[in-house]
Amino acid sequence: MSAKHNDVVKLSEILEKFRDNFPVSSEKWEEYTSRFHRVQVPAKTILLREGEISRKAYLIEKGCIRVWFDNKGEEVTFQFFFENSTVSSIESFKKGTPSLFTLETTEPCTLWWIDKKDVDNLLDEVSEIPSMRNQILNILFERTLHYMQHFLSFVRDTPQERYENLLHNQPYIIQRVPQHYIASYLGISRVHLSRIKNKMARGK
Amino acid sequence: MSAKHNDVVKLSEILEKFRDNFPVSSEKWEEYTSRFHRVQVPAKTILLREGEISRKAYLIEKGCIRVWFDNKGEEVTFQFFFENSTVSSIESFKKGTPSLFTLETTEPCTLWWIDKKDVDNLLDEVSEIPSMRNQILNILFERTLHYMQHFLSFVRDTPQERYENLLHNQPYIIQRVPQHYIASYLGISRVHLSRIKNKMARGK
DNA sequence: GTCAAACGATAACATTTGTTACCAAATTCA
DNA sequence: TGAATTTGGTAACAAATGTTATCGTTTGAC
């Protein structure tokens, strides 16, 4: 990875944002946050390649990460992540299996990464605290719901409706990400997405 | 619900199957399992209707539950559950929001249901035990992965490939469930599923 | 056993969506 | 700045899939 390391930077505001969620001593907080490493990478940097085993999780301070997989020779975009999100190839990170996805930046990014073993330790410690247990469950649960909802929109809605929903609910995705990535994210060809936009531009 | 209640039945083998997963005293085990209620219902029984709030989770001793939702007037099947599975409208059960789905039996069923407040209590108690915490996380995680995989197959595979996968990985679904339910589960019309079967019957 | 409802196959036709090809605009980078 | 790459639009055609309608067959309730 062609990246500038800069781990001595003062703990960023981005980590401070989570301070309230951790009912632990300053010492513990220091210890936890010191496991995160700040790194800056250019656009189109591959953080993890499909088939590799994920050993890092990322927190995005600035930028965008695209998660995609190869389907019969063409890239299919599965998800986008932006500022304040944590990203990993979740199944590979948790189970140590080869990743189904590639993680790639679409913009120059400022990221904080943390090693799997530090995450594991941290989880063990922190899940002794009931309120933290619930938070962990909630986060996982919300991600489950997100997949469910996303899937639902594929079964329930037409491609045009999916595009309209995206435009309405996450316009920043459309603004920041090249359109052909969005096409495969919506499950259609670039040509068809162009048609849809054209159709919508004239009164539907 | 037109059902025969029969709660005094001796604790079924189905609950005993989980005994090993609960490192608790016999008294505790007694207490936990006594919260489950056995019930037998005919085919096409609606256990929860879309829009209602889920207050029960079900464990299937015998039979099949179909989870579906109404999409512009037609039923779209989202999932099937069989013996030894636990079923609820997960987001409604957890959050108390109106269910996005209807739960309906496709066969006469023998079920064990448990009330939400009993589940909540049980979870609180049981998650004090580290090994149980991990199990709970794993179950939730596996369900997340399942949604992810199912979604992936929609993006990646053709309808025929999805049908072939189903035939290969879960042939019992095709054997036990009426075909038109399977069509919408695969995201296609019944006519198209018929075409696919026909095509496959002659050498593809 | 009978009758109604549910189920599944098929044909004809309509619509949606993909594919390929080509071009123009925007962006990147040396 | 200028060339190469990326990105986005459009047209023509092909393929996939949906819709509607019809007709047997199976199933289930009584």
Side-chain angles (χ1 to χ4, degrees), chain B residues 68-182:
Chain B
W68 59 269
F69 62 93
D70 176 286
N71 184 26
K72 297 155 190 163
E74 73 172 344
E75 295 183 8
V76 176
T77 297
F78 186 56
Q79 245 178 314
F80 299 105
F81 292 91
F82 298 89
E83 284 79 7
N84 298 328
S85 300
T86 55
V87 188
S88 71
S89 183
I90 184 172
E91 85 296 347
S92 175
F93 188 76
K94 172 134 200 291
K95 296 190 170 186
T97 53
S99 173
L100 301 172
F101 306 102
T102 294
L103 270 51
E104 180 177 354
T105 59
T106 68
E107 308 174 357
C109 288
T110 306
L111 308 172
W112 295 78
W113 64 265
I114 180 168
D115 194 272
K116 174 168 171 49
K117 66 176 185 304
D118 290 321
V119 172
D120 289 341
N121 292 339
L122 201 151
L123 280 179
D124 280 347
E125 268 192 61
V126 111
S127 61
E128 290 300 328
I129 308 168
S131 71
M132 295 300 303
R133 278 207 292 273
N134 285 331
Q135 274 194 56
I136 293 167
L137 276 179
N138 281 338
I139 289 167
L140 187 51
F141 186 77
E142 288 301 325
R143 188 146 298 189
T144 305
L145 282 194
H146 177 271
Y147 284 126
M148 208 173 81
Q149 296 281 359
H150 192 44
F151 173 68
L152 265 186
S153 85
F154 266 72
V155 178
R156 192 183 51 220
D157 304 329
T158 66
Q160 175 164 344
E161 288 169 334
R162 287 203 292 282
Y163 182 72
E164 287 168 344
N165 290 342
L166 193 64
L167 204 51
H168 183 256
N169 300 324
Q170 293 152 293
Y172 53 90
I173 293 188
I174 290 170
Q175 287 151 16
R176 288 173 64 170
V177 174
Q179 179 171 313
H180 61 288
Y181 292 154
I182 293 182

Side-chain angles (χ1 to χ4, degrees), chain A residues 150-179:
Chain A
H150 192 46
F151 173 67
L152 263 186
S153 85
F154 267 71
V155 178
R156 190 183 52 218
D157 304 328
T158 65
Q160 175 163 345
E161 287 168 335
R162 287 202 293 282
Y163 182 73
E164 288 168 343
N165 291 342
L166 193 65
L167 204 51
H168 183 257
N169 300 324
Q170 292 152 293
Y172 53 90
I173 294 188
I174 291 170
Q175 287 151 17
R176 288 172 66 170
V177 174
Q179 180 170 312

